[in-house]
Amino acid sequence: MLGCLIGTPFIFSLFQVIYKYMENKDNLMEKIVALCKRRGFVFPSSEIYGGFGAIYDFGPYGVELENAIKREWWKTMVQIREDIVGLDSAIFMHPKIWEASGHVSGFSDPLVECKSCHVRIRADHLLEEMDVKADEKMGLEEINKIFEKHRDQAKCPNCGKKDFTEVRNFNLLVKSNLGNFTGDEDSNHVYLRGETCQGIYVNYKNVLDSTRVKIPFGIAQIGKAFRNEITARQFIFRTREFEQMEMQYFTNPEEEMKEYEKLREYRWKFYLDLGIKEKNLKWHKHDNLVFYAKEAYDIEYDYPFGFSEIEGVHARGDYDLTQHSKYSGKDLSYADPVSGEKYMPHIIESSVGVARIFLAVLCDAYTEEKIEGDEIRVVLKMNKKLAPVKVAVFPLLKNKPELVKKAKEIYGGLNSHFMCEFDDNGNIGKRYRRQDEIGTPYCVTVDFETLNDEAVTVRDRDTMKQERIKISELKEYFEKNLDN
Ligand code: ATP
């Protein structure tokens, strides 16, 4: 059987007919959720205890994909940028930070509750589903007015009744009792950070004083954030614990909008370089700006549930540093070392959740193809840079020690250079299907010929073409083709 697979390298591609099931987008989401579980990308948190709302764990392949996304982001936002440095600030911070930032008083979403089944829903989401324009940045009065106008149509997605409370604001900050030894749970709240950028603002002066950066410059960080999200739906798109990648760029007020345009362009290109199809991306301009913002755009991705925010790129003016100066009593203004000019830096930011890119990558890559006969192969055609496993190594037969030994040697020679997997389980066709489903770009098969010619068969994920490569040339071959 394998002789024929290896001996006729183009045989699959002759049979290959692109078989698109993608039209049904709900179906796509279900397929991706199932694949994530089946293949160890994402597991519901605490599953053996019945799960834990809107929290997910990333499995063996999921953590590889997450790491690859973070690696690409860090390379783009820090490594190749002379003007941006990294930071890793703590999750817990002085509670006053969240007062200064406006989170204690204003970090809330509009909530309505079904009076019949008590399900809580974001009012703006409910209205949007009814094609009524609304967003979470509207004032409470404004959104209540809109909600009252359309109350008759608003149907509970859980029980179907049309009986909601009025809209009220629900604060998203997650409280903890860290350091509170008084036993009084209602005071001295310390919060789990609701966004990572506050850690950047409060370290801005430290970075300025300890490194050689000068305005304009940026500080980037990747880290966990926590929000008491009201509606926990859409898989890993909206979770209560998530990882953010944020970059805050400090500018002269005069330069803010010029730098903002540059950042928008730079961030758009990031997604194209990740291999995301441009037709699945679009800009969304905020109509309702918070009072201090100069301009705000989101990059949206066409998820199976429609275009939704993947990343925010915002021009924030001098709000953040002014607030922290006020609340901390420390002067955070900047004195230009050349001109002597003193000003409060303005900030532009790029902010994205790792899991939103993760989900976009999977949606973009998920492909079903009809191959031999009626067989369908599921393949994640993601950018090779992102693939959780780069090379899978197989002995043709599990019960031939000489093949297993050789395959193990090859695996051992490659795995310090690339993420590799050794697999001797099941027939070769099944092993290919398994690797296709996790997006492995190359499979290496050791067969009886290998013992004579020191060469192996390398099979390409996308074309399914197979070629014979000398073992001594494998590392170079993968370096060239994987663009690691
Ligand atoms: P949304 O409108 O979807 O609630 P937001 O406007 O509140 O998002 P920001 O506060 O601007 O989001 O956060 C910046 C980025 O962090 C978002 O673009 C998104 O990628 C990510 N993010 C925010 N909330 C979540 C969440 N609950 N789960 C996963 N990622 C999130």
Side-chain angles (χ1 to χ4, degrees), residues 107 109 122 136-137 195 227 229 236-240 242-244 246 286 298 309-312 314 349 351-353 355-356:
F107 187 45
D109 279 342
R122 260 178 70 168
E136 85 269 22
K137 306 227 165 44
E195 59 185 20
R227 295 183 186 180
E229 294 283 356
I236 54 171
F237 178 82
R238 186 179 304 286
T239 51
R240 294 188 176 128
F242 57 100
E243 204 160 20
Q244 279 188 317
E246 298 201 283
H286 287 211
D298 296 335
E309 173 176 344
I310 189 167
E311 155 161 0
H314 305 150
E349 73 169 358
S351 173
V352 55
R356 293 210 179 167

PDB file of all heavy atoms in Angstrom, residues 107 109 122 136-137 195 227 229 236-240 242-244 246 286 298 309-312 314 349 351-353 355-356, ligand 1:
ATOM      1  N   PHE A 107     -15.691  50.835  33.815  1.00  0.00           N
ATOM      2  CA  PHE A 107     -15.362  49.669  32.977  1.00  0.00           C
ATOM      3  C   PHE A 107     -16.520  48.680  33.054  1.00  0.00           C
ATOM      4  O   PHE A 107     -16.501  47.700  33.790  1.00  0.00           O
ATOM      5  CB  PHE A 107     -14.082  49.019  33.502  1.00  0.00           C
ATOM      6  CG  PHE A 107     -13.549  47.917  32.648  1.00  0.00           C
ATOM      7  CD1 PHE A 107     -13.456  48.037  31.273  1.00  0.00           C
ATOM      8  CD2 PHE A 107     -13.078  46.736  33.229  1.00  0.00           C
ATOM      9  CE1 PHE A 107     -12.935  47.013  30.492  1.00  0.00           C
ATOM     10  CE2 PHE A 107     -12.565  45.708  32.456  1.00  0.00           C
ATOM     11  CZ  PHE A 107     -12.492  45.862  31.093  1.00  0.00           C
ATOM     12  N   ASP A 109     -20.176  46.908  31.056  1.00  0.00           N
ATOM     13  CA  ASP A 109     -20.968  46.613  29.865  1.00  0.00           C
ATOM     14  C   ASP A 109     -22.444  46.742  30.229  1.00  0.00           C
ATOM     15  O   ASP A 109     -22.827  46.502  31.378  1.00  0.00           O
ATOM     16  CB  ASP A 109     -20.673  45.189  29.377  1.00  0.00           C
ATOM     17  CG  ASP A 109     -19.392  45.123  28.550  1.00  0.00           C
ATOM     18  OD1 ASP A 109     -18.945  46.183  28.077  1.00  0.00           O
ATOM     19  OD2 ASP A 109     -18.840  44.017  28.397  1.00  0.00           O
ATOM     20  N   ARG A 122     -25.653  40.824  27.246  1.00  0.00           N
ATOM     21  CA  ARG A 122     -25.226  42.188  26.950  1.00  0.00           C
ATOM     22  C   ARG A 122     -26.272  42.850  26.069  1.00  0.00           C
ATOM     23  O   ARG A 122     -26.605  42.343  24.993  1.00  0.00           O
ATOM     24  CB  ARG A 122     -23.861  42.177  26.254  1.00  0.00           C
ATOM     25  CG  ARG A 122     -22.743  42.489  27.224  1.00  0.00           C
ATOM     26  CD  ARG A 122     -21.419  42.431  26.595  1.00  0.00           C
ATOM     27  NE  ARG A 122     -21.163  43.512  25.654  1.00  0.00           N
ATOM     28  CZ  ARG A 122     -19.963  43.773  25.148  1.00  0.00           C
ATOM     29  NH1 ARG A 122     -18.925  43.048  25.519  1.00  0.00           N
ATOM     30  NH2 ARG A 122     -19.790  44.750  24.283  1.00  0.00           N
ATOM     31  N   GLU A 136     -21.199  49.152  23.309  1.00  0.00           N
ATOM     32  CA  GLU A 136     -21.028  49.207  24.765  1.00  0.00           C
ATOM     33  C   GLU A 136     -20.500  50.556  25.243  1.00  0.00           C
ATOM     34  O   GLU A 136     -20.519  50.846  26.428  1.00  0.00           O
ATOM     35  CB  GLU A 136     -20.137  48.041  25.231  1.00  0.00           C
ATOM     36  CG  GLU A 136     -18.637  48.259  25.164  1.00  0.00           C
ATOM     37  CD  GLU A 136     -18.007  47.827  23.842  1.00  0.00           C
ATOM     38  OE1 GLU A 136     -18.737  47.739  22.824  1.00  0.00           O
ATOM     39  OE2 GLU A 136     -16.786  47.624  23.818  1.00  0.00           O
ATOM     40  N   LYS A 137     -20.034  51.374  24.294  1.00  0.00           N
ATOM     41  CA  LYS A 137     -19.479  52.669  24.707  1.00  0.00           C
ATOM     42  C   LYS A 137     -20.570  53.745  24.850  1.00  0.00           C
ATOM     43  O   LYS A 137     -20.321  54.840  25.308  1.00  0.00           O
ATOM     44  CB  LYS A 137     -18.424  53.118  23.699  1.00  0.00           C
ATOM     45  CG  LYS A 137     -17.368  52.055  23.502  1.00  0.00           C
ATOM     46  CD  LYS A 137     -15.965  52.512  23.540  1.00  0.00           C
ATOM     47  CE  LYS A 137     -14.983  51.377  23.695  1.00  0.00           C
ATOM     48  NZ  LYS A 137     -15.183  50.175  22.906  1.00  0.00           N
ATOM     49  N   GLU A 195      -6.793  44.729  31.924  1.00  0.00           N
ATOM     50  CA  GLU A 195      -6.038  44.899  30.672  1.00  0.00           C
ATOM     51  C   GLU A 195      -4.575  45.038  31.054  1.00  0.00           C
ATOM     52  O   GLU A 195      -4.257  45.432  32.184  1.00  0.00           O
ATOM     53  CB  GLU A 195      -6.532  46.143  29.902  1.00  0.00           C
ATOM     54  CG  GLU A 195      -6.414  47.438  30.687  1.00  0.00           C
ATOM     55  CD  GLU A 195      -7.010  48.648  29.960  1.00  0.00           C
ATOM     56  OE1 GLU A 195      -7.833  48.480  29.042  1.00  0.00           O
ATOM     57  OE2 GLU A 195      -6.625  49.780  30.335  1.00  0.00           O
ATOM     58  N   ARG A 227     -11.669  39.500  32.892  1.00  0.00           N
ATOM     59  CA  ARG A 227     -12.879  40.334  32.847  1.00  0.00           C
ATOM     60  C   ARG A 227     -14.097  39.482  33.167  1.00  0.00           C
ATOM     61  O   ARG A 227     -14.212  38.363  32.661  1.00  0.00           O
ATOM     62  CB  ARG A 227     -13.076  40.935  31.436  1.00  0.00           C
ATOM     63  CG  ARG A 227     -11.985  41.890  31.069  1.00  0.00           C
ATOM     64  CD  ARG A 227     -12.216  42.538  29.722  1.00  0.00           C
ATOM     65  NE  ARG A 227     -11.052  43.346  29.381  1.00  0.00           N
ATOM     66  CZ  ARG A 227     -10.918  44.054  28.271  1.00  0.00           C
ATOM     67  NH1 ARG A 227     -11.888  44.067  27.370  1.00  0.00           N
ATOM     68  NH2 ARG A 227      -9.821  44.753  28.043  1.00  0.00           N
ATOM     69  N   GLU A 229     -16.878  38.918  31.970  1.00  0.00           N
ATOM     70  CA  GLU A 229     -17.712  39.063  30.776  1.00  0.00           C
ATOM     71  C   GLU A 229     -19.118  38.541  31.057  1.00  0.00           C
ATOM     72  O   GLU A 229     -19.284  37.476  31.650  1.00  0.00           O
ATOM     73  CB  GLU A 229     -17.110  38.277  29.605  1.00  0.00           C
ATOM     74  CG  GLU A 229     -15.768  38.789  29.112  1.00  0.00           C
ATOM     75  CD  GLU A 229     -15.877  40.046  28.265  1.00  0.00           C
ATOM     76  OE1 GLU A 229     -17.000  40.505  27.989  1.00  0.00           O
ATOM     77  OE2 GLU A 229     -14.814  40.578  27.886  1.00  0.00           O
ATOM     78  N   ILE A 236     -13.518  30.493  22.206  1.00  0.00           N
ATOM     79  CA  ILE A 236     -12.426  31.245  22.832  1.00  0.00           C
ATOM     80  C   ILE A 236     -12.406  32.710  22.435  1.00  0.00           C
ATOM     81  O   ILE A 236     -11.503  33.447  22.819  1.00  0.00           O
ATOM     82  CB  ILE A 236     -11.061  30.604  22.508  1.00  0.00           C
ATOM     83  CG1 ILE A 236     -10.891  30.447  20.991  1.00  0.00           C
ATOM     84  CG2 ILE A 236     -10.908  29.278  23.219  1.00  0.00           C
ATOM     85  CD1 ILE A 236      -9.505  30.025  20.567  1.00  0.00           C
ATOM     86  N   PHE A 237     -13.414  33.170  21.678  1.00  0.00           N
ATOM     87  CA  PHE A 237     -13.438  34.565  21.247  1.00  0.00           C
ATOM     88  C   PHE A 237     -13.595  35.509  22.447  1.00  0.00           C
ATOM     89  O   PHE A 237     -12.966  36.561  22.509  1.00  0.00           O
ATOM     90  CB  PHE A 237     -14.589  34.779  20.256  1.00  0.00           C
ATOM     91  CG  PHE A 237     -14.702  36.214  19.797  1.00  0.00           C
ATOM     92  CD1 PHE A 237     -13.898  36.689  18.779  1.00  0.00           C
ATOM     93  CD2 PHE A 237     -15.611  37.084  20.393  1.00  0.00           C
ATOM     94  CE1 PHE A 237     -13.985  38.014  18.362  1.00  0.00           C
ATOM     95  CE2 PHE A 237     -15.698  38.412  19.986  1.00  0.00           C
ATOM     96  CZ  PHE A 237     -14.880  38.871  18.963  1.00  0.00           C
ATOM     97  N   ARG A 238     -14.469  35.141  23.355  1.00  0.00           N
ATOM     98  CA  ARG A 238     -14.705  36.000  24.526  1.00  0.00           C
ATOM     99  C   ARG A 238     -14.642  35.141  25.779  1.00  0.00           C
ATOM    100  O   ARG A 238     -15.546  34.360  26.057  1.00  0.00           O
ATOM    101  CB  ARG A 238     -16.071  36.669  24.413  1.00  0.00           C
ATOM    102  CG  ARG A 238     -16.339  37.689  25.503  1.00  0.00           C
ATOM    103  CD  ARG A 238     -17.698  38.338  25.327  1.00  0.00           C
ATOM    104  NE  ARG A 238     -17.839  38.944  24.024  1.00  0.00           N
ATOM    105  CZ  ARG A 238     -17.248  40.082  23.653  1.00  0.00           C
ATOM    106  NH1 ARG A 238     -16.501  40.734  24.498  1.00  0.00           N
ATOM    107  NH2 ARG A 238     -17.409  40.559  22.444  1.00  0.00           N
ATOM    108  N   THR A 239     -13.556  35.282  26.527  1.00  0.00           N
ATOM    109  CA  THR A 239     -13.391  34.465  27.721  1.00  0.00           C
ATOM    110  C   THR A 239     -13.162  35.378  28.928  1.00  0.00           C
ATOM    111  O   THR A 239     -12.894  36.562  28.763  1.00  0.00           O
ATOM    112  CB  THR A 239     -12.202  33.495  27.559  1.00  0.00           C
ATOM    113  OG1 THR A 239     -11.065  34.244  27.144  1.00  0.00           O
ATOM    114  CG2 THR A 239     -12.510  32.433  26.530  1.00  0.00           C
ATOM    115  N   ARG A 240     -13.254  34.801  30.109  1.00  0.00           N
ATOM    116  CA  ARG A 240     -13.104  35.635  31.319  1.00  0.00           C
ATOM    117  C   ARG A 240     -11.638  35.730  31.744  1.00  0.00           C
ATOM    118  O   ARG A 240     -11.265  36.634  32.469  1.00  0.00           O
ATOM    119  CB  ARG A 240     -13.990  35.090  32.443  1.00  0.00           C
ATOM    120  CG  ARG A 240     -15.457  35.238  32.059  1.00  0.00           C
ATOM    121  CD  ARG A 240     -16.448  34.912  33.147  1.00  0.00           C
ATOM    122  NE  ARG A 240     -17.787  35.192  32.652  1.00  0.00           N
ATOM    123  CZ  ARG A 240     -18.808  34.353  32.679  1.00  0.00           C
ATOM    124  NH1 ARG A 240     -18.663  33.143  33.196  1.00  0.00           N
ATOM    125  NH2 ARG A 240     -19.976  34.696  32.179  1.00  0.00           N
ATOM    126  N   PHE A 242      -7.990  35.719  29.710  1.00  0.00           N
ATOM    127  CA  PHE A 242      -7.429  35.671  28.358  1.00  0.00           C
ATOM    128  C   PHE A 242      -6.073  36.352  28.337  1.00  0.00           C
ATOM    129  O   PHE A 242      -5.668  37.001  29.306  1.00  0.00           O
ATOM    130  CB  PHE A 242      -8.381  36.331  27.343  1.00  0.00           C
ATOM    131  CG  PHE A 242      -8.735  37.760  27.644  1.00  0.00           C
ATOM    132  CD1 PHE A 242      -8.099  38.798  26.997  1.00  0.00           C
ATOM    133  CD2 PHE A 242      -9.704  38.060  28.578  1.00  0.00           C
ATOM    134  CE1 PHE A 242      -8.423  40.132  27.273  1.00  0.00           C
ATOM    135  CE2 PHE A 242     -10.028  39.382  28.880  1.00  0.00           C
ATOM    136  CZ  PHE A 242      -9.395  40.414  28.228  1.00  0.00           C
ATOM    137  N   GLU A 243      -5.372  36.155  27.235  1.00  0.00           N
ATOM    138  CA  GLU A 243      -4.035  36.721  27.136  1.00  0.00           C
ATOM    139  C   GLU A 243      -4.051  37.854  26.124  1.00  0.00           C
ATOM    140  O   GLU A 243      -4.558  37.683  25.018  1.00  0.00           O
ATOM    141  CB  GLU A 243      -3.062  35.619  26.697  1.00  0.00           C
ATOM    142  CG  GLU A 243      -1.657  35.913  27.101  1.00  0.00           C
ATOM    143  CD  GLU A 243      -0.786  34.673  27.125  1.00  0.00           C
ATOM    144  OE1 GLU A 243      -1.162  33.668  26.485  1.00  0.00           O
ATOM    145  OE2 GLU A 243       0.265  34.716  27.777  1.00  0.00           O
ATOM    146  N   GLN A 244      -3.505  38.994  26.538  1.00  0.00           N
ATOM    147  CA  GLN A 244      -3.455  40.144  25.619  1.00  0.00           C
ATOM    148  C   GLN A 244      -2.030  40.391  25.153  1.00  0.00           C
ATOM    149  O   GLN A 244      -1.065  40.098  25.866  1.00  0.00           O
ATOM    150  CB  GLN A 244      -3.920  41.416  26.352  1.00  0.00           C
ATOM    151  CG  GLN A 244      -5.417  41.556  26.448  1.00  0.00           C
ATOM    152  CD  GLN A 244      -5.822  42.912  27.010  1.00  0.00           C
ATOM    153  OE1 GLN A 244      -5.230  43.385  27.965  1.00  0.00           O
ATOM    154  NE2 GLN A 244      -6.835  43.515  26.425  1.00  0.00           N
ATOM    155  N   GLU A 246      -0.201  43.761  23.950  1.00  0.00           N
ATOM    156  CA  GLU A 246      -0.465  45.194  23.817  1.00  0.00           C
ATOM    157  C   GLU A 246       0.833  45.962  23.626  1.00  0.00           C
ATOM    158  O   GLU A 246       1.855  45.651  24.242  1.00  0.00           O
ATOM    159  CB  GLU A 246      -1.185  45.729  25.058  1.00  0.00           C
ATOM    160  CG  GLU A 246      -2.535  45.078  25.279  1.00  0.00           C
ATOM    161  CD  GLU A 246      -3.443  45.929  26.149  1.00  0.00           C
ATOM    162  OE1 GLU A 246      -3.237  45.941  27.373  1.00  0.00           O
ATOM    163  OE2 GLU A 246      -4.352  46.564  25.611  1.00  0.00           O
ATOM    164  N   HIS A 286     -14.724  53.457  15.057  1.00  0.00           N
ATOM    165  CA  HIS A 286     -15.669  53.682  16.158  1.00  0.00           C
ATOM    166  C   HIS A 286     -16.468  54.967  15.926  1.00  0.00           C
ATOM    167  O   HIS A 286     -15.880  56.009  15.664  1.00  0.00           O
ATOM    168  CB  HIS A 286     -14.922  53.849  17.483  1.00  0.00           C
ATOM    169  CG  HIS A 286     -14.362  52.563  18.011  1.00  0.00           C
ATOM    170  ND1 HIS A 286     -14.229  52.309  19.340  1.00  0.00           N
ATOM    171  CD2 HIS A 286     -13.901  51.459  17.390  1.00  0.00           C
ATOM    172  CE1 HIS A 286     -13.707  51.115  19.520  1.00  0.00           C
ATOM    173  NE2 HIS A 286     -13.491  50.578  18.345  1.00  0.00           N
ATOM    174  N   ASP A 298     -10.962  49.382  14.876  1.00  0.00           N
ATOM    175  CA  ASP A 298     -10.699  47.976  15.186  1.00  0.00           C
ATOM    176  C   ASP A 298     -10.402  47.258  13.883  1.00  0.00           C
ATOM    177  O   ASP A 298     -10.981  47.599  12.837  1.00  0.00           O
ATOM    178  CB  ASP A 298     -11.935  47.301  15.803  1.00  0.00           C
ATOM    179  CG  ASP A 298     -12.307  47.911  17.143  1.00  0.00           C
ATOM    180  OD1 ASP A 298     -11.420  48.472  17.801  1.00  0.00           O
ATOM    181  OD2 ASP A 298     -13.500  47.814  17.508  1.00  0.00           O
ATOM    182  N   GLU A 309     -14.383  42.115  16.285  1.00  0.00           N
ATOM    183  CA  GLU A 309     -13.071  42.706  16.620  1.00  0.00           C
ATOM    184  C   GLU A 309     -12.009  41.664  16.927  1.00  0.00           C
ATOM    185  O   GLU A 309     -12.176  40.812  17.786  1.00  0.00           O
ATOM    186  CB  GLU A 309     -13.260  43.626  17.840  1.00  0.00           C
ATOM    187  CG  GLU A 309     -11.953  44.172  18.384  1.00  0.00           C
ATOM    188  CD  GLU A 309     -12.149  45.166  19.527  1.00  0.00           C
ATOM    189  OE1 GLU A 309     -13.281  45.666  19.705  1.00  0.00           O
ATOM    190  OE2 GLU A 309     -11.159  45.435  20.231  1.00  0.00           O
ATOM    191  N   ILE A 310     -10.904  41.800  16.196  1.00  0.00           N
ATOM    192  CA  ILE A 310      -9.743  40.973  16.544  1.00  0.00           C
ATOM    193  C   ILE A 310      -8.749  41.831  17.309  1.00  0.00           C
ATOM    194  O   ILE A 310      -8.117  41.387  18.256  1.00  0.00           O
ATOM    195  CB  ILE A 310      -9.128  40.326  15.263  1.00  0.00           C
ATOM    196  CG1 ILE A 310      -8.071  39.283  15.584  1.00  0.00           C
ATOM    197  CG2 ILE A 310      -8.512  41.322  14.338  1.00  0.00           C
ATOM    198  CD1 ILE A 310      -7.683  38.432  14.378  1.00  0.00           C
ATOM    199  N   GLU A 311      -8.635  43.107  16.907  1.00  0.00           N
ATOM    200  CA  GLU A 311      -7.636  43.994  17.527  1.00  0.00           C
ATOM    201  C   GLU A 311      -8.123  45.435  17.520  1.00  0.00           C
ATOM    202  O   GLU A 311      -8.787  45.865  16.573  1.00  0.00           O
ATOM    203  CB  GLU A 311      -6.328  43.866  16.733  1.00  0.00           C
ATOM    204  CG  GLU A 311      -5.422  45.066  16.820  1.00  0.00           C
ATOM    205  CD  GLU A 311      -3.976  44.819  16.453  1.00  0.00           C
ATOM    206  OE1 GLU A 311      -3.615  43.683  16.104  1.00  0.00           O
ATOM    207  OE2 GLU A 311      -3.201  45.790  16.525  1.00  0.00           O
ATOM    208  N   GLY A 312      -7.748  46.168  18.549  1.00  0.00           N
ATOM    209  CA  GLY A 312      -8.045  47.599  18.581  1.00  0.00           C
ATOM    210  C   GLY A 312      -6.778  48.398  18.322  1.00  0.00           C
ATOM    211  O   GLY A 312      -5.721  48.079  18.864  1.00  0.00           O
ATOM    212  N   HIS A 314      -5.879  52.312  18.652  1.00  0.00           N
ATOM    213  CA  HIS A 314      -6.544  53.521  19.139  1.00  0.00           C
ATOM    214  C   HIS A 314      -5.559  54.650  19.414  1.00  0.00           C
ATOM    215  O   HIS A 314      -4.433  54.405  19.821  1.00  0.00           O
ATOM    216  CB  HIS A 314      -7.308  53.216  20.443  1.00  0.00           C
ATOM    217  CG  HIS A 314      -8.277  52.073  20.313  1.00  0.00           C
ATOM    218  ND1 HIS A 314      -8.607  51.249  21.350  1.00  0.00           N
ATOM    219  CD2 HIS A 314      -8.972  51.609  19.249  1.00  0.00           C
ATOM    220  CE1 HIS A 314      -9.483  50.331  20.930  1.00  0.00           C
ATOM    221  NE2 HIS A 314      -9.709  50.528  19.654  1.00  0.00           N
ATOM    222  N   GLU A 349      -2.125  53.029  20.675  1.00  0.00           N
ATOM    223  CA  GLU A 349      -1.980  51.651  21.137  1.00  0.00           C
ATOM    224  C   GLU A 349      -2.465  50.634  20.112  1.00  0.00           C
ATOM    225  O   GLU A 349      -3.321  50.920  19.266  1.00  0.00           O
ATOM    226  CB  GLU A 349      -2.757  51.431  22.440  1.00  0.00           C
ATOM    227  CG  GLU A 349      -4.271  51.392  22.240  1.00  0.00           C
ATOM    228  CD  GLU A 349      -5.055  50.907  23.448  1.00  0.00           C
ATOM    229  OE1 GLU A 349      -4.455  50.545  24.464  1.00  0.00           O
ATOM    230  OE2 GLU A 349      -6.300  50.899  23.360  1.00  0.00           O
ATOM    231  N   SER A 351      -3.814  46.651  20.529  1.00  0.00           N
ATOM    232  CA  SER A 351      -4.199  45.728  21.591  1.00  0.00           C
ATOM    233  C   SER A 351      -4.975  44.549  21.012  1.00  0.00           C
ATOM    234  O   SER A 351      -6.000  44.731  20.350  1.00  0.00           O
ATOM    235  CB  SER A 351      -5.077  46.491  22.588  1.00  0.00           C
ATOM    236  OG  SER A 351      -5.594  45.605  23.534  1.00  0.00           O
ATOM    237  N   VAL A 352      -4.470  43.349  21.274  1.00  0.00           N
ATOM    238  CA  VAL A 352      -5.127  42.172  20.681  1.00  0.00           C
ATOM    239  C   VAL A 352      -5.059  40.984  21.635  1.00  0.00           C
ATOM    240  O   VAL A 352      -4.102  40.835  22.391  1.00  0.00           O
ATOM    241  CB  VAL A 352      -4.476  41.824  19.310  1.00  0.00           C
ATOM    242  CG1 VAL A 352      -2.980  41.633  19.414  1.00  0.00           C
ATOM    243  CG2 VAL A 352      -5.114  40.587  18.694  1.00  0.00           C
ATOM    244  N   GLY A 353      -6.080  40.144  21.584  1.00  0.00           N
ATOM    245  CA  GLY A 353      -6.098  38.920  22.378  1.00  0.00           C
ATOM    246  C   GLY A 353      -5.493  37.773  21.577  1.00  0.00           C
ATOM    247  O   GLY A 353      -5.829  37.581  20.408  1.00  0.00           O
ATOM    248  N   ALA A 355      -6.030  34.652  21.781  1.00  0.00           N
ATOM    249  CA  ALA A 355      -7.026  33.659  21.368  1.00  0.00           C
ATOM    250  C   ALA A 355      -7.863  34.134  20.177  1.00  0.00           C
ATOM    251  O   ALA A 355      -8.386  33.317  19.412  1.00  0.00           O
ATOM    252  CB  ALA A 355      -7.938  33.316  22.538  1.00  0.00           C
ATOM    253  N   ARG A 356      -7.989  35.455  20.017  1.00  0.00           N
ATOM    254  CA  ARG A 356      -8.755  35.938  18.851  1.00  0.00           C
ATOM    255  C   ARG A 356      -7.962  35.687  17.575  1.00  0.00           C
ATOM    256  O   ARG A 356      -8.544  35.380  16.534  1.00  0.00           O
ATOM    257  CB  ARG A 356      -9.108  37.415  19.013  1.00  0.00           C
ATOM    258  CG  ARG A 356     -10.094  37.596  20.162  1.00  0.00           C
ATOM    259  CD  ARG A 356     -11.021  38.749  20.002  1.00  0.00           C
ATOM    260  NE  ARG A 356     -11.912  38.782  21.165  1.00  0.00           N
ATOM    261  CZ  ARG A 356     -12.682  39.785  21.489  1.00  0.00           C
ATOM    262  NH1 ARG A 356     -12.694  40.876  20.750  1.00  0.00           N
ATOM    263  NH2 ARG A 356     -13.464  39.717  22.550  1.00  0.00           N
TER     264      ARG A 356
HETATM  265  P1  ATP B   1     -15.186  43.609  22.843  1.00  0.00           P
HETATM  266  O1  ATP B   1     -15.864  44.805  22.200  1.00  0.00           O
HETATM  267  O2  ATP B   1     -15.080  42.408  21.959  1.00  0.00           O
HETATM  268  O3  ATP B   1     -15.718  43.310  24.225  1.00  0.00           O
HETATM  269  P2  ATP B   1     -13.240  45.419  23.817  1.00  0.00           P
HETATM  270  O4  ATP B   1     -13.449  46.565  22.885  1.00  0.00           O
HETATM  271  O5  ATP B   1     -13.761  45.477  25.196  1.00  0.00           O
HETATM  272  O6  ATP B   1     -13.677  44.057  23.102  1.00  0.00           O
HETATM  273  P3  ATP B   1     -10.546  46.008  24.398  1.00  0.00           P
HETATM  274  O7  ATP B   1     -10.803  46.404  25.784  1.00  0.00           O
HETATM  275  O8  ATP B   1     -10.248  47.080  23.401  1.00  0.00           O
HETATM  276  O9  ATP B   1     -11.706  45.096  23.865  1.00  0.00           O
HETATM  277  O10 ATP B   1      -9.398  44.901  24.413  1.00  0.00           O
HETATM  278  C1  ATP B   1      -8.403  44.813  23.421  1.00  0.00           C
HETATM  279  C2  ATP B   1      -8.360  43.456  22.795  1.00  0.00           C
HETATM  280  O11 ATP B   1      -8.303  42.433  23.787  1.00  0.00           O
HETATM  281  C3  ATP B   1      -9.563  43.105  21.939  1.00  0.00           C
HETATM  282  O12 ATP B   1      -9.427  43.623  20.649  1.00  0.00           O
HETATM  283  C4  ATP B   1      -9.528  41.600  21.950  1.00  0.00           C
HETATM  284  O13 ATP B   1      -8.617  41.108  20.980  1.00  0.00           O
HETATM  285  C5  ATP B   1      -8.991  41.274  23.316  1.00  0.00           C
HETATM  286  N1  ATP B   1     -10.088  40.946  24.242  1.00  0.00           N
HETATM  287  C6  ATP B   1     -10.854  41.817  24.940  1.00  0.00           C
HETATM  288  N2  ATP B   1     -11.733  41.165  25.705  1.00  0.00           N
HETATM  289  C7  ATP B   1     -11.520  39.841  25.483  1.00  0.00           C
HETATM  290  C8  ATP B   1     -12.117  38.650  25.995  1.00  0.00           C
HETATM  291  N3  ATP B   1     -13.071  38.691  26.907  1.00  0.00           N
HETATM  292  N4  ATP B   1     -11.662  37.462  25.539  1.00  0.00           N
HETATM  293  C9  ATP B   1     -10.665  37.401  24.636  1.00  0.00           C
HETATM  294  N5  ATP B   1     -10.061  38.489  24.134  1.00  0.00           N
HETATM  295  C10 ATP B   1     -10.465  39.696  24.541  1.00  0.00           C
END
